Amino acid sequence: MVDSCFTVSIFSVCSVIFAVLLRQYCREQSLLAALAACIGILLAVLTLVQPVIQQVRELFETAGISSSYLSVVFKAAAICFITQITTEICRDSGERAIASAAELWGRCAVTVISLPIISALIEMINDFL
């Protein structure tokens, strides 16, 4: 785990150096280099998180909780990660207004995707009362 963290850190620093050097000559290509680095790191995250996802699924099955709730949780987490990376890339490009709009979209998307869980929670509260 520590060695993979070290590898991602080195990759990130090298990508930053490359993007900064490239920015002096062509700002658009620098942005594409940063985006490519983000995609590479996201792929590394997916391989790291895969065993955790499987273990959480097993815990939900053991507890008797519907897998649809787990799906909502994972989708909401994915929306948060994608939105965070998108807004940071927009801010790095100097587009703060677009970054703010992307953040707003991410918040709304998480709210909309969470509605089934919220309604189930309200039903459970009503059953207890």
Side-chain angles (χ1 to χ4, degrees):
M1 177 65 92
V2 173
D3 54 333
S4 62
C5 182
F6 187 67
T7 303
V8 170
S9 296
I10 290 173
F11 175 76
S12 300
V13 170
C14 290
S15 298
V16 166
I17 292 170
F18 179 69
V20 168
L21 290 174
L22 196 57
R23 187 177 300 146
Q24 295 173 358
Y25 302 104
C26 185
R27 190 167 179 86
E28 294 83 13
Q29 290 179 351
S30 172
L31 178 62
L32 290 176
L35 185 60
C38 288
I39 290 170
I41 293 169
L42 278 176
L43 291 175
V45 167
L46 289 176
T47 60
L48 180 71
V49 172
Q50 194 65 27
V52 174
I53 291 172
Q54 186 60 35
Q55 188 173 13
V56 170
R57 280 191 176 139
E58 291 172 5
L59 288 172
F60 268 60
E61 287 175 7
T62 304
I65 300 173
S66 173
S67 63
S68 63
Y69 297 137
L70 181 63
S71 174
V72 170
V73 170
F74 286 139
K75 286 178 184 177
I79 290 170
C80 290
F81 294 141
I82 292 168
T83 302
Q84 180 68 33
I85 290 169
T86 302
T87 57
E88 291 303 321
I89 289 173
C90 290
R91 284 193 182 100
D92 285 348
S93 300
E95 298 295 334
R96 294 181 57 174
I98 295 173
S100 295
E103 281 181 338
L104 178 62
W105 181 88
R107 289 182 186 125
C108 290
V110 168
T111 302
V112 168
I113 204 168
S114 300
L115 287 177
I117 293 178
I118 292 170
S119 64
L121 180 64
I122 290 172
E123 286 178 22
M124 286 176 42
I125 291 172
N126 283 336
D127 290 344
F128 286 133
L129 298 177

